[in-house]
Amino acid sequence: MARPPSLEEVPRCCRTPPVRSVAPQILAGSLKAPLWLRAYFQGLLFSLGCRIQRHCGKVLFLGLLAFGALALGLRVAVIETDLEELWVEVGSRVSQELHYTKEKLGEEAAYTSQMLIQTARQEGENILTPEALGLHLQAALTASKVQVSLYGKSWDLNKICYKSGVPLIENGMIERMIEKLFPCVILTPLDCFWEGAKLQGGSAYLPGRPDIQWTNLDPEQLLEELGPFASLEGFRELLDKAQVGQAYVGRPCLDPTDAHCPPSAPNHLSRQAPDVAQELSGGCHGFSHKFMHWQEELLLGGMARDLQGRLLRAEALQSTFLLMSPRQLYEHFRGDYQTHDIGWSEEQASTVLQAWQRRFVQLAQEALPENASQQIHAFSSTTLDDILHTFSEVSAARVAGGYLLMLAYACVTMLRWDCAQSQGAVGLAGVLVVALAVASGLGLCALLGITFNAATTQVLPFLALGIGVDDVFLLAHAFTEAPPGTPLQERLGECLQRTGTSVTLTSINNMVAFFMAALVPIPALRAFSLQAAIVVGCSFVAVMLVFPAVLSLDLRRRHCQRLDVLCCFSSPCSARMIQILPQELGERTVSVGITHLTTTVQAFTHCEASSQHVVTILPPQAHLVPAPSDPLSSELFSPGGSTRDLLGQEERTRPRAACKSLPCARWNLAHFARYQFAPLLLQSQAKAMVLVFFGALLGLSLYGATLVQDGLSLTDVVPRGTKEHAFLSAQLRYFSLYEVALVTQGGFDYAHSQRALFDLHQRFSSLKAVLPPPATQAPRTWLHYYRDWLQGIQAAFDQDWASGRITHHSYRNGSEDGALAYKLLIQTGNAQEPLDFSQLTTRKLVDEEGLIPPEFFYVGLTVWVSSDPLGLAASQANFYPPPPEWLHDKYDTTGENLRIPAAQPLEFAQFPFLLHGLQKTADFVEAIEGARAACAEAGRAGVHAYPSGSPFLFWEQYLGLRRCFLLAICILLVCTFLVCALLLLNPWMAGLIVLVLAMMTVELFGIMGFLGIKLSAIPVVILVASVGIGVEFTVHVALGFLTMQGSRNLRATRALEHTFAPVTDGAVSTLLGLLMLAGSNFDFIVRYFFLVLTALTLLGLLHGLMLLPVLLSILGPPPEVVQIYKESPRVLGPATPRGGRLGWGASPTLRQNFARVTTSMTVALHPPPLPGAYIHPASDEPTWSPAASGSSNSSSRGS
């Protein structure tokens, strides 16, 4: 039956204005403003698309140029690996305390630690045997003999080790000998035996004696031999106070049969092996029994005792070698003859230490044979730095693999049998554009000074690519489903008009999510969040500007009928043409019997101005396709419409190539969603099952949330199966010890606050986690050492005074300590009258309450620091400002030596402690809370103090992490609601979206609990970002539902039909991007990023394509408009021709009165355009309304 040409069949040169009146009816309760605002925004997007299409080459060139220039910023990228810079909360009290410490003491610690841990290969075996100690000696000795050659010099342990409290001696010969012999600080169980001396590499030479080494040095005997040649009384007293005694030669030999075992060893004559457990009970000592006591917990792990508390067995041994810091090493050798010719610098010092540490670890691990019964685990501070550097490096292979997978998927999923509809090249170009956008975003971050870290380099390239490619699929799907009859020059504008709102909404939500995640005050995660937000912004710009230019170029390729990807070759489907006469299209009406039969083919339409004939030239084998059987056909084929047509007309009106293809080639995700998935999902029973399933999943996740523990240890970060992981596991199991300090600040008078300082130390010492000192040892703090030293010299003065060796006018006959006490007792602290000799017998250096008189405090501090270097070093006081140097000269006759400069008021001092038994995060939190409470109590007494150490740097974040997490999630959900409500202009829909996102977050948190993933700053960022990422799976469906017309079921079905394919493709692309994370060497990356982000993607897919459509079909908001069409009696008349080019590729051989346009012809019934959309002039068609669909069908069939 003939009828006049429809709107889609008439080229624009032959169209007349519409003759049908369109009467929109707004739903009751709806607002005109939301529709107007969205129409206005879509109009802007339409204009943008048309401009990009007109200038696609320029836009593509300038876009690639700009993004390429930004990507060059990666050259200045800085990768941060400093743990303090990465994990200490910004602006927190820990950050302020750390800044205060660095301000007073500098950037570096006093020393760095190198550790050896020995365990039996057979778990649980006792290691307290001479044989096991002998193997430990072998490994430690191998490590201590390490030498590295750098800058033309040889560097061994004795040159770079940390030496505690080297005394200043006026005798030059003794001073040089002490400098060569003074031992390194090595905490080892071997110090309980003579063999501990073998680890000390110093030696000295005296005429007539063999080389002096610690293996043969008896300090008491040496002083007796040197006594006739030098005055060594002060040095002798120093050794006596330090309780050096015979040093190592007085200790038992592990192997009494050793030829070098000294005769003074207790078991030298008996030749019996010592009882190792008995010797190690109570710990060991360095060369000084008073100041170098190594407690059992520092040396032995897995200890077992009998009922009386005697040590029976242990499962691990530990030795710790202390090295100087780079600054200390630089200062030590600055100006020395050994380094004057190499331009010695702090960087060179750091290089020397790192090279020595790496060699130390290597040789220690190789020290024992493979078949030995024991195994050695070695670790150094440089090993940790190397792990973090490796952790932060970009894996080129994984990045390339992930991007190649994405390229392959994008190309394959967008290829079609129909050459004109295939978009494989578009998929390839889209992935490359997004990849360039990711690189440019990271380059911009580098230019802005945002440092990179492991999260940036290991995760962000894959995550950002997956998010960006989602929008590429959405645009590509929309572009292929443009409404029939859309002019070529408006195709891109129509595409952006349909999808730009969705892309904008998801991108803004992603950026808001990552910016909100930056509220987590951890520098590493804040940098990651800011970088992710910037990268998402760059991807948004690339997808909205550069990728549309690619689509425009592909449209030219399709217009020219060239092959996809191989665009230099013509398509085989463009060889033959047929002609349809105008009278075949002349009848006005179309039988309803064929309203479901469509043929959509590429056509070249010519309009001859003189005759006003319409000539449509079609490719061969055009055919009509009958409408498939559809359970929802009564609704799907009713004249429902869309206020925005999210992705164009339904599948039946998609342009089809004339070339026949296999039936399987016509199957796609949209076909599946329409004919299989949606009808099944929207059945009542299926809805109930979906709601029950997600309710159960939510309940199970709430239980899983209770299983989530706080924490993140190094064993979680270091790759499993490595030697480093074995060491950290052994250390965590056997030696969970942490050195901490109680720092006292300035702002109060130390001299008048001694009682409060002692009380603070007592409260801190009583904490459960603090390792108590042995009962026989005094507290190891500067205030106790200082007071004990004053009491010692006071006792010497009292003896000298009682014996008459010291009088009011002379102290020269007294002892060294008595003379020191004399000089202190006459100090008044008054600058005008500094000395008062009458105080010699009326004052004491320490009063009856155990307090130092305030007038003596700072003067005595100067004397103690200068006269007791071993005690000062053992106290680890780190005074700032440091007291002035002052040398005591007992025989000074000028009296100048009586004037002692007072130390300046202290602004920094510290008490050292050891924390033990800290295995779980709850243990750390308990210790931190107790330490903070002790400091707060001291603050009320006027003492300003704070705890310092790695537990407070890295674990204090857990005190408020969950609160911070909940705050960020709540703020983000509110922001998401506001953004969605603003852009969707529908609070009802925004509330449903936020509900689904909140469920996703709770379920992801519960899955973390079942996977055994601990809550730390990294999972918090992923959980916060999950809200933004979840928007990718929900907004497209929600917006499609909101803008459709019809019943809730119909709108949900249509929304699924148009969004199922791009949402699924986006999810698969994200999973492909994440897939390469599964191959990471770091188990941490696999568990904390790959598994969590994969779970997030799958949850988003389930919630976006199952739960949300079901909720919308039950609780969804009403449609925005109801359309009523009124038929005009007027008939389309002849049109006045218009000249000019209306499409690309107009043949220059055509006459000027011909125009050529590439369009689509659809023999089908389409509802008229809706208000606010771009309206093409149209011919009259039969009147349709949802209420009259049944009668219309009957009448049509009857005709």
Side-chain angles (χ1 to χ4, degrees):
M1 187 180 296
R3 65 173 179 82
S6 66
L7 166 67
E8 290 77 11
E9 298 162 2
V10 180
R12 297 193 64 178
C13 65
C14 303
R15 292 179 185 166
T16 59
V19 294
R20 176 179 49 209
S21 60
V22 181
Q25 177 177 336
I26 309 297
L27 281 178
S30 300
L31 297 176
K32 296 181 180 179
L35 295 177
W36 183 88
L37 289 174
R38 188 180 301 132
Y40 178 76
F41 182 64
Q42 290 175 337
L44 295 178
L45 292 173
F46 179 82
S47 300
L48 174 64
C50 292
R51 289 190 175 90
I52 293 175
Q53 183 165 338
R54 284 197 300 270
H55 308 285
C56 58
K58 298 175 184 177
V59 172
L60 183 60
F61 173 76
L62 293 177
L64 295 179
L65 184 64
F67 284 118
L70 288 176
L72 293 177
L74 288 172
R75 299 178 61 185
V76 298
V78 176
I79 297 180
E80 181 64 71
T81 58
D82 186 349
L83 288 176
E84 293 180 359
E85 295 295 332
L86 288 174
W87 298 107
V88 176
E89 294 184 38
V90 176
S92 64
R93 60 184 177 187
V94 174
S95 177
Q96 297 171 1
E97 293 161 359
L98 183 62
H99 175 74
Y100 184 85
T101 300
K102 290 183 176 180
E103 180 185 0
K104 302 305 179 183
L105 298 184
E107 295 287 333
E108 296 180 339
Y111 50 79
T112 59
S113 299
Q114 284 56 239
M115 289 162 283
L116 299 179
I117 293 179
Q118 176 179 323
T119 58
R121 293 190 182 276
Q122 184 176 352
E123 186 173 352
E125 182 180 337
N126 181 27
I127 205 170
L128 299 184
T129 64
E131 294 75 19
L133 265 292
L135 292 175
H136 194 74
L137 172 63
Q138 180 180 337
L141 192 58
T142 300
S144 68
K145 302 303 181 183
V146 169
Q147 290 188 355
V148 294
S149 296
L150 285 173
Y151 312 114
K153 311 293 180 184
S154 179
W155 305 88
D156 59 16
L157 177 63
N158 198 50
K159 288 184 178 179
I160 65 176
C161 70
Y162 176 74
K163 299 181 178 183
S164 173
V166 181
L168 298 176
I169 306 296
E170 294 183 359
N171 188 294
M173 179 187 69
I174 300 299
E175 183 179 10
R176 287 190 296 271
M177 185 175 66
I178 290 177
E179 182 180 356
K180 293 179 179 181
L181 279 176
F182 203 83
C184 300
V185 178
I186 304 175
L187 289 70
T188 174
L190 297 171
D191 274 350
C192 282
F193 308 95
W194 166 77
E195 280 78 3
K198 294 183 177 181
L199 304 182
Q200 304 294 342
S203 64
Y205 172 76
L206 287 178
R209 289 182 57 99
D211 285 350
I212 301 175
Q213 298 177 346
W214 282 103
T215 53
N216 59 17
L217 174 59
D218 184 345
E220 294 178 347
Q221 181 181 355
L222 180 63
L223 289 179
E224 291 179 2
E225 294 177 0
L226 296 178
F229 307 101
S231 176
L232 300 175
E233 182 181 353
F235 185 56
R236 188 190 300 273
E237 290 187 4
L238 179 66
L239 295 181
D240 290 341
K241 289 180 183 178
Q243 301 176 9
V244 173
Q246 291 183 302
Y248 290 97
V249 297
R251 303 175 188 180
C253 297
L254 267 175
D255 180 12
T257 62
D258 188 330
H260 300 286
C261 180
S264 54
N267 60 342
H268 174 74
L269 296 178
S270 65
R271 301 291 180 176
Q272 292 183 353
D275 185 338
V276 173
Q278 181 179 352
E279 295 294 336
L280 290 174
S281 295
C284 301
H285 298 85
F287 79 96
S288 168
H289 279 251
K290 180 177 181 180
F291 298 119
M292 295 182 176
H293 177 252
W294 324 135
Q295 293 179 246
E296 286 179 350
E297 291 78 2
L298 291 171
L299 310 176
L300 305 176
M303 292 181 286
R305 302 179 185 276
D306 61 13
L307 297 178
Q308 287 73 35
R310 290 190 299 266
L311 180 65
L312 294 179
R313 62 195 313 275
E315 298 179 11
L317 302 173
Q318 178 174 254
S319 292
T320 305
F321 296 73
L322 303 186
L323 303 184
M324 287 187 279
S325 67
R327 176 170 292 276
Q328 286 179 326
L329 184 60
Y330 166 70
E331 295 290 345
H332 181 74
F333 283 101
R334 187 176 62 172
D336 191 272
Y337 73 94
Q338 299 181 66
T339 58
H340 74 281
D341 59 337
I342 61 174
W344 183 242
S345 65
E346 191 169 342
E347 291 75 16
Q348 291 176 322
S350 178
T351 302
V352 168
L353 289 171
Q354 291 175 2
W356 193 93
Q357 289 172 322
R358 292 189 181 100
R359 187 65 175 161
F360 168 89
V361 172
Q362 177 186 357
L363 292 183
Q365 292 173 342
E366 299 173 354
L368 301 185
E370 291 292 334
N371 58 354
S373 62
Q374 308 290 315
Q375 54 186 346
I376 293 292
H377 311 289
F379 199 80
S380 72
S381 55
T382 298
T383 305
L384 179 58
D385 292 338
D386 291 341
I387 289 173
L388 294 177
H389 277 291
T390 304
F391 188 50
S392 303
E393 288 178 353
V394 179
S395 174
R398 282 204 305 274
V399 172
Y403 278 48
L404 287 175
L405 274 178
M406 193 79 72
L407 284 168
Y409 177 78
C411 181
V412 171
T413 194
M414 299 179 73
L415 281 173
R416 298 290 184 271
W417 289 98
D418 178 1
C419 304
Q421 299 300 317
S422 184
Q423 290 183 302
V426 170
L428 293 175
V431 173
L432 293 177
V433 166
V434 174
L436 179 61
V438 172
S440 65
L442 294 176
L444 179 59
C445 294
L447 294 174
L448 293 176
I450 303 176
T451 58
F452 288 29
N453 56 68
T456 304
T457 58
Q458 297 283 344
V459 177
L460 192 53
F462 306 103
L463 179 61
L465 181 66
I467 293 175
V469 172
D470 292 350
D471 295 331
V472 166
F473 282 119
L474 187 65
L475 283 174
H477 278 272
F479 195 71
T480 59
E481 297 182 352
T486 303
L488 280 178
Q489 67 269 31
E490 297 175 3
R491 288 287 296 275
L492 191 56
E494 186 72 20
C495 176
L496 289 185
Q497 182 180 6
R498 293 166 180 274
T499 59
T501 303
S502 293
V503 173
T504 301
L505 183 58
T506 55
S507 298
I508 290 177
N509 269 284
N510 275 327
M511 286 188 285
V512 170
F514 283 117
F515 278 127
M516 293 303 301
L519 292 176
V520 178
I522 308 298
L525 284 310
R526 176 167 292 181
F528 172 80
S529 303
L530 292 175
Q531 288 163 341
I534 292 173
V535 168
V536 168
C538 289
S539 298
F540 170 65
V541 174
V543 169
M544 292 296 287
L545 296 179
V546 181
F547 182 66
V550 174
L551 291 174
S552 298
L553 292 177
D554 187 67
L555 185 60
R556 179 185 296 271
R557 190 267 311 169
R558 293 161 61 187
H559 166 73
C560 296
Q561 294 291 299
R562 294 192 176 273
L563 287 174
D564 189 17
V565 182
L566 304 175
C567 55
C568 296
F569 300 95
S570 297
S571 169
C573 298
S574 59
R576 297 169 51 195
M577 295 181 290
I578 63 173
Q579 185 177 23
I580 297 179
L581 299 179
Q583 59 267 25
E584 295 177 334
L585 301 173
E587 189 157 348
R588 176 176 175 275
T589 61
V590 178
S591 171
V592 175
I594 64 168
T595 57
H596 298 196
L597 302 178
T598 67
T599 174
T600 304
V601 298
Q602 293 296 323
F604 297 104
T605 303
H606 298 274
C607 177
E608 185 178 4
S610 60
S611 63
Q612 299 180 1
H613 289 170
V614 179
V615 180
T616 304
I617 302 174
L618 299 175
Q621 301 176 0
H623 61 283
L624 298 180
V625 181
S629 175
D630 189 349
L632 297 174
S633 60
S634 60
E635 291 188 298
L636 286 178
F637 292 103
S638 65
S642 167
T643 61
R644 194 181 63 87
D645 284 332
L646 176 67
L647 289 175
Q649 300 298 322
E650 55 270 12
E651 184 71 20
R652 69 180 185 275
T653 64
R654 291 186 58 184
R656 296 180 183 269
C659 296
K660 287 187 176 181
S661 59
L662 296 174
C664 62
R666 294 194 296 270
W667 188 94
N668 54 34
L669 289 174
H671 183 280
F672 170 75
R674 175 181 176 183
Y675 296 111
Q676 282 87 35
F677 183 74
L680 177 63
L681 179 68
L682 297 180
Q683 293 179 5
S684 299
Q685 298 89 338
K687 291 180 184 179
M689 293 177 62
V690 168
L691 294 178
V692 170
F693 170 77
F694 281 96
L697 180 61
L698 180 62
L700 193 63
S701 300
L702 290 173
Y703 169 73
T706 63
L707 304 178
V708 178
Q709 299 179 354
D710 294 346
L712 178 65
S713 63
L714 278 177
T715 53
D716 296 325
V717 177
V718 177
R720 295 181 183 271
T722 62
K723 295 179 179 179
E724 293 80 6
H725 188 273
F727 171 87
L728 292 172
S729 300
Q731 185 186 47
L732 181 64
R733 178 178 180 181
Y734 296 117
F735 301 100
S736 185
L737 291 170
Y738 296 87
E739 293 184 2
V740 300
L742 183 58
V743 175
T744 51
Q745 302 172 263
F748 70 97
D749 187 0
Y750 281 68
H752 291 87
S753 304
Q754 296 175 65
R755 177 56 61 195
L757 288 171
F758 283 122
D759 292 342
L760 171 61
H761 177 269
Q762 180 59 37
R763 279 193 296 270
F764 206 92
S765 300
S766 63
L767 296 178
K768 174 184 176 182
V770 172
L771 181 65
T776 58
Q777 183 180 353
R780 194 165 53 95
T781 70
W782 68 268
L783 193 56
H784 290 89
Y785 283 147
Y786 177 27
R787 183 183 64 180
D788 294 346
W789 179 81
L790 287 176
Q791 289 175 332
I793 64 173
Q794 178 71 60
F797 172 83
D798 292 341
Q799 292 179 1
D800 290 342
W801 183 270
S803 62
R805 291 193 295 269
I806 293 180
T807 64
H808 278 90
H809 306 291
S810 176
Y811 56 82
R812 294 188 187 121
N813 294 328
S815 62
E816 291 284 341
D817 284 351
L820 278 174
Y822 179 96
K823 294 179 180 181
L824 282 175
L825 287 169
I826 62 176
Q827 306 296 318
T828 64
N830 188 337
Q832 302 298 327
E833 297 181 359
L835 303 178
D836 183 0
F837 292 92
S838 64
Q839 297 180 161
L840 284 171
T841 56
T842 60
R843 302 293 300 272
K844 296 289 185 181
L845 296 177
V846 179
D847 62 21
E848 295 179 353
E849 297 181 0
L851 303 179
I852 304 167
E855 60 270 21
F856 293 157
F857 189 85
Y858 287 108
V859 175
L861 193 63
T862 299
V863 178
W864 175 63
V865 167
S866 301
S867 305
D868 190 15
L870 291 175
L872 176 65
S875 72
Q876 301 179 34
N878 285 331
F879 291 129
Y880 182 87
E885 290 186 1
W886 178 82
L887 290 178
H888 166 56
D889 185 1
K890 176 181 175 181
Y891 300 101
D892 176 57
T893 58
T894 63
E896 290 297 324
N897 201 238
L898 294 177
R899 301 180 184 274
I900 304 173
Q904 298 181 41
L906 295 175
E907 299 178 18
F908 184 97
Q910 62 184 22
F911 299 150
F913 292 93
L914 281 174
L915 302 185
H916 72 125
L918 304 182
Q919 297 285 341
K920 301 179 180 179
T921 301
D923 301 330
F924 286 94
V925 170
E926 181 183 358
I928 291 170
E929 290 176 342
R932 291 294 182 185
C935 292
E937 183 68 23
R940 288 187 283 272
V943 174
H944 304 154
Y946 62 85
S948 175
S950 58
F952 304 99
L953 288 179
F954 307 122
W955 274 272
E956 185 150 344
Q957 59 180 287
Y958 296 104
L959 295 179
L961 183 63
R962 296 201 175 217
R963 176 187 55 79
C964 184
F965 163 58
L966 291 176
L967 177 63
I969 288 291
C970 292
I971 293 176
L972 181 54
L973 289 175
V974 171
C975 291
T976 302
F977 174 82
L978 295 176
V979 171
C980 291
L982 180 63
L983 293 183
L984 294 177
L985 303 167
N986 192 309
W988 187 342
M989 181 63 75
L992 287 177
I993 291 175
V994 169
L995 173 63
V996 173
L997 295 178
M999 290 180 63
M1000 284 178 55
T1001 304
V1002 173
E1003 290 163 7
L1004 183 61
F1005 191 71
I1007 290 174
M1008 286 173 46
F1010 289 116
L1011 292 177
I1013 295 175
K1014 300 177 183 178
L1015 184 66
S1016 63
I1018 290 177
V1020 163
V1021 166
I1022 296 178
L1023 287 167
V1024 172
S1026 68
V1027 178
I1029 297 173
V1031 172
E1032 295 276 351
F1033 300 98
T1034 55
V1035 164
H1036 304 313
V1037 177
L1039 191 56
F1041 179 88
L1042 189 62
T1043 56
M1044 294 291 178
Q1045 297 177 68
S1047 67
R1048 285 191 173 107
N1049 273 0
L1050 169 64
R1051 294 157 63 205
T1053 301
R1054 284 192 157 189
L1056 277 175
E1057 176 188 351
H1058 294 311
T1059 60
F1060 189 89
V1063 169
T1064 303
D1065 285 340
V1068 174
S1069 67
T1070 301
L1071 290 175
L1072 286 176
L1074 297 174
L1075 183 61
M1076 299 310 296
L1077 297 179
S1080 174
N1081 295 328
F1082 291 89
D1083 182 67
F1084 174 78
I1085 293 292
V1086 176
R1087 297 178 67 241
Y1088 280 75
F1089 285 101
F1090 172 71
L1091 291 181
V1092 175
L1093 290 174
T1094 299
L1096 170 59
T1097 304
L1098 295 177
L1099 285 175
L1101 201 60
L1102 291 174
H1103 286 75
L1105 299 181
M1106 290 184 64
L1107 178 62
L1108 183 60
V1110 169
L1111 291 178
L1112 291 176
S1113 68
I1114 299 173
L1115 303 173
E1120 293 175 325
V1121 298
V1122 170
Q1123 205 69 48
I1124 298 179
Y1125 306 103
K1126 296 181 179 179
E1127 186 70 26
S1128 172
R1130 298 178 57 190
V1131 181
L1132 181 66
T1136 303
R1138 284 179 285 176
R1141 292 178 182 269
L1142 298 182
W1144 291 326
S1147 173
T1149 63
L1150 293 175
R1151 297 192 299 274
Q1152 293 182 357
N1153 59 346
F1154 277 84
R1156 183 177 178 181
V1157 61
T1158 300
T1159 182
S1160 298
M1161 185 186 74
T1162 304
V1163 184
L1165 181 63
H1166 299 285
L1170 301 178
Y1174 186 87
I1175 301 177
H1176 302 289
S1179 63
D1180 287 345
E1181 295 185 18
T1183 304
W1184 284 80
S1185 68
S1189 61
S1191 60
S1192 297
N1193 288 342
S1194 300
S1195 62
S1196 298
R1197 283 190 295 270
S1199 63

